[in-house]
Each structure stands twice: as C-alpha cells, then as structure tokens.
Amino acid sequence: MLSFLSPAFVIAAAGPWALAACAFIIFAESGLLIGFFLPGDSLVFLLGMVSASMTLADSPVSGMPLWIICLIVSVAAFIGDQAGYETGKHSGNIRRIKSWVQGKNRNRIKRAQRFFDDYGSRAIILARFVPILRTFVPFVIGMTHFNHRRFIIANLVGAVIWGVALPSMGYTLGRIPLISNHIEIVCLCIVLISILPLAFKAFTSWLSRSEEIETK
C-alpha cells in the first residue's frame, strides 16, 4: 500500500497527535464521501497492537489503556456515520446532487429506501465492517430520509462493536511474534479480508447476469 496510507506510517508520523490523527481518519472514512480509500480497519487493528506495546514502542499511543482507544475509535466512527447521514439527508438542497437524483437515479433511491426500510438496522451495522460500504451507506440512507432515531441506534451499535472488537483483536493477536513482526503484511491481509464480502457480491451478481444472458 502507499506509504502515506500505511497505518504504521500514519501513527509514527503523527507523533504526539497520533490518536487525534487516527480519530480524524476514522471520521473521514464514513463522514466524508472522499474517505473511501482510507485504511480504517487496519489502522484500528494496529492501534490495538501499539496499545499493547508490541510494535512502535516509541509512539505516545504505546502503553495507552485499551479502553481509551476503544472509546475514541467508537466515538469517531459514530460521529462519522452521523455526518454522512446528515450530508445525504440535506443533499436535496444541493442543486448538482439534486439533478443527479433525477430520472433513473430517482428510482434507484426509491428502491434503496424500500431496502433500508426492511433491512436498515442490520445494513447499517454490517456496513460498518465493510470498506467503501461504510463510506457510502450513511449518505445513501440519509438521501432516503430513513428514520433518524433508528439510524442513531444502529449507528451506535455498529460503531461500538467495531470500535471495541478491532482494537481488542489487535491488542490480543499483537502479542503473537509472527503478527507483531510483520505489520505491513498483517494490515494488507486485513484489507483483503474486509473487502471479501464486496468481491463475493460482485462475483455472484456477475454470475447471475451471465446465467440470465445464456437463458435468453
């Protein structure tokens, strides 16, 4: 991965502002539509490893209580999704986005609204664990004017589970020498694993379209 997007580089380069920088990246990944390329999962996992003092021992995050990291990660994730939701909800006031919604896209928004009405809470929680989806799902849900209270509850649940589970995994698994000695490989593996659901969905969609073409 690009060096400036490497979680280890971000934590090391930020120095005493490492935790604040990580919190902003977590927020930006779901709060800003341009944040889809940011290393959310691997960064949060690595924070847990650094907290356990198993890597980057000279970082101010090293030795920091795990609960503080989990709290900051959860709060940043929650606020990020809320920002994405509010952006989508008020996007109708932006002429360029409003015109994009016209025609076929308007029908897509209606279908999305029906989908989130049926599966909204589960979709919001699961999207938190999938890169790219956690960037765009809050925005799309906001565009459908999904019930705000339901979104807040689902967002809180997803943010807390994600914000506690990944740093805790890093804290625990980081004590294994094979993992702590190969940070970049581990981070790359986390990225690959996290995009597997998207790859599987794309493959099944392609397969179904191929079968439809053959039957015609």
Side-chain angles (χ1 to χ4, degrees):
M1 70 177 62
L2 298 176
S3 60
F4 66 92
L5 291 179
S6 165
F9 175 83
V10 171
I11 294 175
W17 300 98
L19 202 52
C22 292
F24 175 75
I25 289 174
I26 294 165
F27 162 81
E29 190 182 20
S30 58
L32 306 176
L33 287 174
I34 60 172
F36 62 90
F37 60 89
L38 296 173
D41 292 324
S42 53
L43 180 63
V44 174
F45 183 88
L46 185 59
L47 279 175
M49 291 180 61
V50 177
S51 173
S53 300
M54 299 309 297
T55 185
L56 301 178
D58 58 341
S59 171
V61 181
S62 181
M64 181 175 292
L66 180 63
W67 71 267
I68 293 180
I69 291 177
C70 292
L71 177 62
I72 291 176
V73 168
S74 299
V75 170
F78 176 80
I79 295 176
D81 272 21
Q82 287 298 135
Y85 174 90
E86 293 297 334
T87 302
K89 183 178 179 180
H90 296 95
S91 63
N93 298 326
I94 303 175
R95 183 179 301 176
R96 183 173 297 180
I97 297 180
K98 187 175 182 179
S99 63
W100 178 83
V101 176
Q102 302 300 321
K104 293 182 179 179
N105 287 314
R106 178 183 294 173
N107 294 328
R108 291 172 183 170
I109 293 299
K110 289 181 178 179
R111 288 198 299 270
Q113 186 171 14
R114 289 195 297 269
F115 173 82
F116 288 123
D117 284 340
D118 294 335
Y119 305 102
S121 297
R122 280 173 287 176
I124 295 165
I125 294 171
L126 292 175
R128 164 50 56 187
F129 292 84
V130 183
I132 301 178
L133 283 186
R134 63 171 162 259
T135 298
F136 295 106
V137 164
F139 178 80
V140 174
I141 289 181
M143 291 185 72
T144 66
H145 294 277
F146 182 79
N147 183 274
H148 196 195
R149 183 174 178 275
R150 285 182 63 192
F151 178 80
I152 290 176
I153 294 173
N155 180 22
L156 181 61
V157 172
V160 170
I161 294 176
W162 185 77
V164 171
L166 263 69
S168 298
M169 288 175 59
Y171 187 91
T172 302
L173 297 178
R175 298 176 180 275
I176 302 174
L178 181 63
I179 294 178
S180 61
N181 293 334
H182 299 85
I183 301 174
E184 295 297 335
I185 296 177
V186 171
C187 289
L188 182 59
C189 289
I190 292 173
V191 172
L192 293 176
I193 292 172
S194 61
I195 64 175
L196 278 178
L198 284 178
F200 177 76
K201 178 63 176 177
F203 174 75
T204 54
S205 297
W206 173 81
L207 193 62
S208 62
R209 286 197 300 269
S210 298
E211 291 176 350
E212 291 176 1
I213 294 173
E214 290 178 358
T215 55
K216 290 181 179 180

